Amino acid sequence: MRSLSRRRFLEIGAATSFLALLNERTTGAQSTPEPDSVVVARNGTPSELASGAVRSLGGMDSFVGAGDVVLIKPNASFSVPPGTGANTSPEIASTVARLALEAGASKVILTDHRINKPGPLTVQINGLREAAEGCGGEFLVLQQESDFETVDLNQARTLTKVEVAKAYLESDVLINLPVLKHHDATGSSVGLKGLMGLVYDRTVFHREGLDATIADLSLGIRPNLTIVDATKTLMTNGPRGPGEVIEMGKVVAGVDPVAVDVASMALAYSLGYQDFGIDDRNAYVKIAGELGVGDSDPSSVLARTFEVDVKEQIGPCPPSTRKGAIPAWTPYASLSVASVALGLAAMVYDRRRTRDAK
Amino acid sequence: MPSSTPFDAMSRRHFITTVGAGAAVSIMGASLARASAKEPVLRPPGAIDEDAFLSLCARCGRCIPVCPNSALRLQGPGNGLQNLMTPKLVPSKGYCIMPVNGCQNCIKACPAKVLQPISLEGLSSSQFSSRLKMGTASVDTRICIPYALKQPCLACKEICPVEGAITTKGGEGKGPGATVRKPVFNNDVCVGCGACENACPTTPKAVTVSSKGAKRTQWRA
C-alpha cells in the first residue's frame, strides 16, 4: 500500500505545481495602477466611474496644468438621444470637463465633427452641448472648412496630409473621450477611430481604406489621456444604432491610446461579440502598434490592465512599491505549503488505514 | 415698281435674322423637349401629385432659404421647361432632416401649399415611409467601396436616420475581405431623404437617391 500513497503524493504535487504556475501568470499582472497602466473602473455611476478612473491614473492634475486650454473630444456626431450608445454619455462628458476646470484649465472646449447635419441640432438632441455648457465649458461644432488646417503626417503609409481641427492645434491638452461601440465597417469604434472627429474630409478615409488611414491619423493626433465610456455599450448595428445596448457599467482610461482601445475592445469581445476582436476586424489597432503609436499586443496590455472598484477606492491608489505590502510570491508559497501538507495528510491516512486493515 | 432699296436691304437682313432666331429657338426647344424626357424631379417633403405640383407651384423659391440643411435648389433649364424654377432636393448638397426632428420649414414657407404638412408623430422611424416618401436610394455596386474594392466603408448606413432602410450583408467570414459588410438598401423602408447620397465618399456617387417610388400627397387649402 506504500506505492499508492506515494503515487497520490506525486499526483497532488503535480496538481499543485500546475496551480502555482497558473497563479504565477495572474500575479504577473500589476497589482496597483501606475501612470502607464490601463484602468478599468467599475461599480459606480457614470460620473463616479470617470472620476475614479482618472484618480487611479494620478488625478487630473497630472494631465492638466494651470491655465491650460483643454480640448475634450467626445463622440457627439449622431442625432440620437443619450442612452442609445452612439454618443458619449453627457454625464461623463460633463464630469471630465469639470475635472479639467478644477485642475486649473483656463478654458475647456468640447468638440466633434458632426455626421448628422445640421451640427447645432445634433448636439442639442444628443445632450452634449448642455453637458459642456452646464459646467462652464463650451461646445464647438466642427463643420466649416475654415475650422481646419492641413498638417503633414510623417511616417504615415497612406494618409500623408490631413486637415485637422485648428482647435486641436491651438490646445495644450487633448482628452479623447470616446464611447465604446460596435461599428459595421471597422468592427468597433473606440479612441483611435473617434479621432476622425477632428478631421474635415472623412470621405478620403473611406476611399483609401479605413484601417490604414485611421492608423496613420493616430500619428498626427496624440491624445494626452483617453477615457472610454463603456457604461452603456452599443453591441450591434453601430455606429449609429439602434442596436443591442448592454449595461456594461465601466470606464476605461489610460495614456497609451492603442492600449486603451485594446483593453476596451477586450471587454466586449469577452462577452462573445466577435466584431470587437482584433484580427481582420479592427486591423487599425495592429497597424497603429506597428507604427509605434502604442502597445497593440493584447497579452502585454492585459498584463498592465488594472480593475478599480470605485466604491472601495479612497484617494489616489498607493504606489506598488510601498513598504509592508504582501510580496507577489505569497500565493505561490502558501499553495505549495498547503499541497505538501495535503500530501502528508493523505500519506498518514493511507498508513493508518492499512494498519487498521491488518 | 419703285426701286425701294432700303426695304429690300432690310428684308434681306430681316430674313437672315429671323432664320437665325428661328433656328436658335427650335434648337433650344428641341433640347428642352429632349430634357423633359428625363426622370421626374426629386421633390421636397410633402409635395403634392406631380401634375398638380407643376400647375400650382408659384416658382417663388421661398422654400429654398428656409431649409436648415441647405438641401433645396431651384431647378435650372436642364430638365424641361415645365420644371424650370421648381424646387428640388439635391442630396449632394444637403439632405432632408424631417426624419430626424420632424422639421417642416419648407412646408410652412410654401404659399401655394404644394408642399402639404406631414405628421410623423407616433411612428417609429422604420414606419416613416408610410407617410413620408420623397424617393428611393439605390447603390451602384460597380463603384460602391465594399462591393467593388472589398474594403470597409458603410458611410451611408452610418448617417441613415431611418431604422432598417439600410441593412448589411456579409462580413461573417474570416480572412482579408471576408469580414467586410456591404450595404443593402430596403426600398420599402427608405424615405428618400438623401442622407446616404450626401455621405457617400465616392466620385461619382455610388449611392444615389431618385424620385422613384415617391408617394405624393393631395392638395388641400
Side-chain angles (χ1 to χ4, degrees):
Chain A
M1 282 305 189
R2 224 164 199 223
S3 62
L4 184 67
S5 73
R6 193 196 290 151
R7 182 189 288 172
R8 192 174 287 170
F9 183 85
L10 288 174
E11 277 168 1
I12 292 169
T16 313
S17 348
F18 179 64
L19 275 173
L21 266 173
L22 267 182
N23 190 47
E24 195 176 37
R25 280 180 67 93
T26 51
T27 52
Q30 285 173 358
S31 53
T32 45
E34 285 171 14
D36 70 332
S37 307
V38 176
V39 171
V40 179
R42 62 178 170 85
N43 191 19
T45 64
S47 175
E48 288 168 354
L49 293 171
S51 44
V54 173
R55 194 161 50 226
S56 304
L57 291 168
M60 195 56 103
D61 296 343
S62 48
F63 300 101
V64 176
D68 280 354
V69 175
V70 178
L71 187 71
I72 299 176
K73 158 68 188 70
N75 285 47
S77 51
F78 291 103
S79 56
V80 290
T84 50
N87 301 302
T88 304
S89 142
E91 191 183 339
I92 289 181
S94 66
T95 303
V96 174
R98 187 172 47 76
L99 289 174
L101 284 166
E102 282 170 7
S106 64
K107 202 174 175 188
V108 171
I109 307 167
L110 274 78
T111 193
D112 198 3
H113 190 161
R114 83 282 179 277
I115 287 173
N116 287 146
K117 290 190 275 187
L121 174 73
T122 300
V123 293
Q124 187 189 320
I125 291 176
N126 64 33
L128 267 301
R129 178 186 290 284
E130 207 185 318
E133 289 170 358
C135 62
E138 57 180 271
F139 200 101
L140 170 70
V141 181
L142 300 170
Q143 48 185 353
Q144 314 268 325
E145 197 171 355
S146 57
D147 295 335
F148 298 87
E149 199 173 303
T150 305
V151 296
D152 292 323
L153 295 177
N154 301 322
Q155 304 172 287
R157 294 176 183 174
T158 312
L159 191 74
T160 48
K161 274 187 198 309
V162 64
E163 307 101 329
V164 169
K166 282 181 188 163
Y168 165 62
L169 301 172
E170 288 158 7
S171 68
D172 299 306
V173 178
L174 171 65
I175 299 175
N176 195 9
L177 190 59
V179 65
L180 169 66
K181 60 176 172 177
H182 178 254
H183 197 291
D184 266 329
T186 52
S188 67
S189 167
V190 206
L192 299 177
K193 172 83 179 69
L195 293 178
M196 275 176 77
L198 294 175
V199 170
Y200 178 62
D201 181 16
R202 276 93 62 95
T203 60
V204 64
F205 284 67
H206 288 263
R207 280 195 299 270
E208 301 290 329
L210 282 165
D211 288 318
T213 46
I214 291 170
D216 282 346
L217 181 67
S218 64
L219 290 165
I221 304 181
R222 299 280 183 121
N224 303 62
L225 173 63
T226 305
I227 304 170
V228 181
D229 168 9
T231 52
K232 286 185 177 172
T233 304
L234 183 63
M235 308 303 274
T236 58
N237 202 26
R240 189 181 204 274
E244 185 191 347
V245 177
I246 283 190
E247 293 261 1
M248 195 98 83
K250 290 189 173 129
V251 165
V252 187
V255 176
D256 180 341
V258 185
V260 171
D261 272 20
V262 171
S264 307
M265 286 172 195
L267 289 179
Y269 187 70
S270 63
L271 298 175
Y273 291 84
Q274 298 295 318
D275 280 351
F276 290 82
I278 300 170
D279 36 51
D280 292 306
R281 299 178 181 91
N282 304 308
Y284 61 88
V285 173
K286 267 191 290 187
I287 305 173
E290 287 163 23
L291 290 171
V293 178
D295 184 1
S296 66
D297 177 27
S299 55
S300 83
V301 170
L302 291 183
R304 58 196 176 96
T305 299
F306 188 84
E307 201 157 290
V308 186
D309 187 325
V310 294
K311 287 275 186 332
E312 289 171 4
Q313 187 189 47
I314 306 156
C317 279
S320 59
T321 50
R322 74 196 153 112
K323 280 180 186 170
I326 303 167
W329 49 263
T330 314
Y332 184 97
S334 52
L335 265 173
S336 304
V337 169
S339 71
V340 169
L342 205 67
L344 286 172
M347 213 157 73
V348 169
Y349 174 75
D350 258 12
R351 285 209 177 152
R352 190 167 288 177
R353 215 176 50 173
T354 44
R355 197 180 55 203
D356 290 350
K358 276 177 187 172
Chain B
M1 205 166 179
S3 62
S4 52
T5 42
F7 179 78
D8 279 347
M10 275 303 284
S11 82
R12 193 195 291 149
R13 184 182 286 172
H14 228 107
F15 176 75
I16 292 167
T17 334
T18 313
V19 166
V25 165
S26 55
I27 288 170
M28 203 196 286
S31 70
L32 281 174
R34 199 168 49 239
S36 68
K38 279 185 188 170
E39 66 175 59
V41 179
L42 186 62
R43 296 289 181 205
I48 60 168
D49 204 48
E50 184 69 11
D51 287 341
F53 188 95
L54 288 172
S55 57
L56 291 175
C57 174
R59 276 80 168 164
C60 65
R62 285 187 207 179
C63 49
I64 311 296
V66 296
C67 178
N69 214 3
S70 317
L72 302 179
R73 296 286 185 282
L74 285 181
Q75 174 66 56
N79 201 3
L81 207 53
Q82 76 273 34
N83 283 321
L84 190 66
M85 295 284 283
T86 57
K88 62 173 176 178
L89 182 68
V90 186
S92 58
K93 305 287 182 193
Y95 54 91
C96 177
I97 57 166
M98 191 191 274
V100 178
N101 69 340
C103 169
Q104 311 249 345
N105 285 7
C106 53
I107 295 170
K108 285 177 194 154
C110 180
K113 296 197 168 69
V114 294
L115 303 178
Q116 289 284 329
I118 291 178
S119 169
L120 298 177
E121 263 175 56
L123 295 183
S124 76
S125 66
S126 56
Q127 301 167 322
F128 283 171
S129 62
S130 62
R131 292 187 200 158
L132 171 69
K133 182 129 180 94
M134 294 169 272
T136 311
S138 59
V139 61
D140 185 344
T141 52
R142 293 167 303 172
I143 321 172
C144 178
I145 291 171
Y147 282 102
L149 300 176
K150 306 246 182 310
Q151 279 176 14
C153 179
L154 291 176
C156 50
K157 181 173 181 292
E158 187 172 87
I159 201 169
C160 178
V162 177
E163 186 184 348
I166 304 177
T167 49
T168 61
K169 69 174 180 186
E172 282 82 34
K174 285 206 184 296
T179 58
V180 174
R181 291 197 173 86
K182 306 175 188 80
V184 177
F185 291 76
N186 302 309
N187 297 350
D188 298 338
V189 186
C190 176
V191 301
C193 69
C196 48
E197 181 178 334
N198 189 270
C200 182
T202 62
T203 315
K205 300 274 188 187
V207 179
T208 48
V209 177
S210 72
S211 60
K212 215 174 99 186
K215 283 181 194 153
R216 295 302 184 80
T217 54
Q218 292 297 313
W219 190 85
R220 271 186 224 97

